Amino acid sequence: ATLTFILDDLSQGQSRTYRLGQVVFVRKPDKQIEVTKDGDDVEITVDQKIFTRYTMKAAPNKPVFYPILTPDGSHMTRRWPVEPTVDPGESHDHPHHRGLWFTHSVVNGTDFWSEEDPKVGRTINTGFERVQSGWVYGGFMAKTEWRTRDDNLIATDRRDVRILELPNGDRLMDFSVTISPVGGPLTFGDNKDGLFGLRVPDSLALHTDRSSKITGEGHIETASGTNDRDAWGKPNDWVDYWGPVNGKTVGVAIFDAPSNIRHPETWHARDYALFTVNPFGLHDFGRGDKGAGAYTIPVGKTINFTYRLLFHQGDTKAAGIAEQYAAFADTPDVSFQ
């Protein structure tokens, strides 16, 4: 597919049009994806409405995206514990499940996933190389340090984030992170608690009579058809978590790029509303011997992970998740007219 930008004369107040395959998008000059620095954070608005913030203030040991809002202002992540008094009826388990995050539970033996244990490590946002607004997309490049419980620097990364609004109001977030070891090899251990994902609202949890006390009316659908509880630990190109939020059917899908290691990756998608993708949990997921999921990056080398999130209206079929993934996996060439 070819992504063609047709640039109209904005001085005449005309729209700008761009085309992806056979789909045409039109955005007017007054429609913007704005990315604004706010101290050590960035705030992203879509057509002057807050979409999300990338912040160190919502979690004690990692940067997260919080809040993440639909166009009508509904939250797409659980609000506790970031906003603990908003809804006393919300679930209060796993306080480290905050917003949307990228980290792992065993990196050179240090736990970067949890936050309750005082011995956990920290991923620290150290600044931004780029902050960019625009009529097609907005985004930023953030720098991160990975520091152990003893404050030893073992890795750095760069996170490239881009936001795009589709014509129907759905939002795409492209997240690409490149990690570099510092001072020695970097090993991601075999453990289920990782790598990239979010805690969706309780109403999107699956209806369950099992040990989980969290009951919603949500569904998990996957590229392979291993749906709902059967999605956990399975390899899939994409997974979609959808259901009711404030009386509307909405969802969020995560797409695994074909360039990622162990693609299609395995998924830590649980019935109680935890939704992450993790290539390093093979033994925990029952897909190999002990340690099978571990992966080491030598000094002087890097590893990259690329994902797309689609925050959408409707269920998996209505949002065209399979078609959207096909367009993502077949990256288009770009031309300008």
Side-chain angles (χ1 to χ4, degrees):
T2 298
L3 182 62
T4 302
F5 292 87
I6 306 170
L7 305 181
D8 295 331
D9 182 2
L10 291 189
S11 66
Q12 302 300 315
Q14 298 176 5
S15 300
R16 286 184 172 185
T17 304
Y18 59 101
R19 183 187 308 272
L20 176 58
Q22 298 302 311
V23 181
V24 175
F25 303 83
V26 178
R27 287 182 65 79
K28 295 181 179 179
D30 61 342
K31 300 292 187 180
Q32 290 282 324
I33 313 293
E34 293 194 40
V35 185
T36 307
K37 283 192 66 177
D38 180 14
D40 295 330
D41 304 338
V42 294
E43 179 176 279
I44 300 171
T45 61
V46 179
D47 302 337
Q48 301 181 344
K49 294 181 179 180
I50 178 71
F51 170 52
T52 190
R53 293 186 183 93
Y54 183 74
T55 176
M56 286 290 298
K57 298 182 179 67
N61 65 334
K62 60 182 179 287
V64 302
F65 293 90
Y66 185 90
I68 301 175
L69 304 178
T70 64
D72 69 2
S74 296
H75 283 253
M76 287 302 293
T77 66
R78 182 179 67 173
R79 301 178 74 173
W80 187 89
V82 182
E83 299 180 81
T85 62
V86 169
D87 182 1
E90 274 192 313
S91 58
H92 282 51
D93 63 283
H94 299 86
H96 49 278
H97 293 173
R98 300 171 184 250
L100 168 69
W101 67 93
F102 180 89
T103 188
H104 191 58
S105 55
V106 184
V107 185
N108 283 11
T110 294
D111 180 2
F112 289 88
W113 179 265
S114 304
E115 64 185 40
E116 299 86 359
D117 188 331
K119 296 181 179 180
V120 298
R122 298 174 298 148
T123 49
I124 306 165
N125 177 33
T126 59
F128 301 96
E129 292 187 353
R130 185 189 73 249
V131 174
Q132 182 178 7
S133 303
W135 58 270
V136 174
Y137 70 85
F140 62 89
M141 177 80 78
K143 300 181 294 182
T144 315
E145 292 183 347
W146 296 61
R147 291 188 173 272
T148 69
R149 65 198 71 173
D150 300 318
D151 203 37
N152 293 323
L153 179 65
I154 62 171
T156 61
D157 75 48
R158 281 175 166 75
R159 305 177 181 199
D160 189 352
V161 178
R162 301 189 180 195
I163 309 296
L164 170 71
E165 184 183 50
L166 299 182
N168 67 349
D170 292 351
R171 277 87 182 265
L172 297 175
M173 176 189 289
D174 285 344
F175 181 93
S176 180
V177 54
T178 301
I179 306 170
S180 305
V182 174
L186 192 71
T187 298
F188 287 82
D190 191 328
N191 192 278
K192 61 182 176 55
D193 290 330
L195 175 72
F196 179 61
L198 65 166
R199 179 68 180 258
V200 297
D202 288 351
S203 62
L204 296 192
L206 276 61
H207 182 79
T208 177
D209 56 5
R210 303 200 311 171
S211 59
S212 174
K213 296 180 180 179
I214 304 166
T215 299
E217 297 297 332
H219 294 278
I220 302 172
E221 295 194 39
T222 76
S224 67
T226 52
N227 296 337
D228 292 335
R229 294 188 191 96
D230 292 334
W232 185 79
K234 304 296 193 308
N236 272 292
D237 289 342
W238 56 262
V239 175
D240 186 32
Y241 218 130
W242 66 271
V245 174
N246 291 337
K248 295 182 180 180
T249 299
V250 296
V252 52
I254 302 177
F255 298 164
D256 177 36
S259 59
N260 290 337
I261 65 165
R262 295 176 180 158
H263 172 80
E265 294 183 52
T266 42
W267 297 77
H268 191 24
R270 305 304 297 265
D271 58 4
Y272 63 85
L274 175 65
F275 181 24
T276 74
V277 55
N278 178 13
F280 302 125
L282 298 184
H283 173 67
D284 281 0
F285 295 144
R287 308 191 66 81
D289 295 333
K290 187 174 182 179
Y295 192 91
T296 298
I297 304 100
V299 174
K301 301 292 184 180
T302 63
I303 190 170
N304 175 268
F305 294 94
T306 297
Y307 303 102
R308 169 170 288 179
L309 293 92
L310 172 57
F311 295 91
H312 62 84
Q313 305 165 71
D315 59 17
T316 303
K317 183 177 181 181
I321 298 301
E323 294 79 8
Q324 288 279 3
Y325 179 79
F328 167 72
D330 181 17
T331 305
D333 298 324
V334 177
S335 66
F336 291 87
Q337 296 180 1

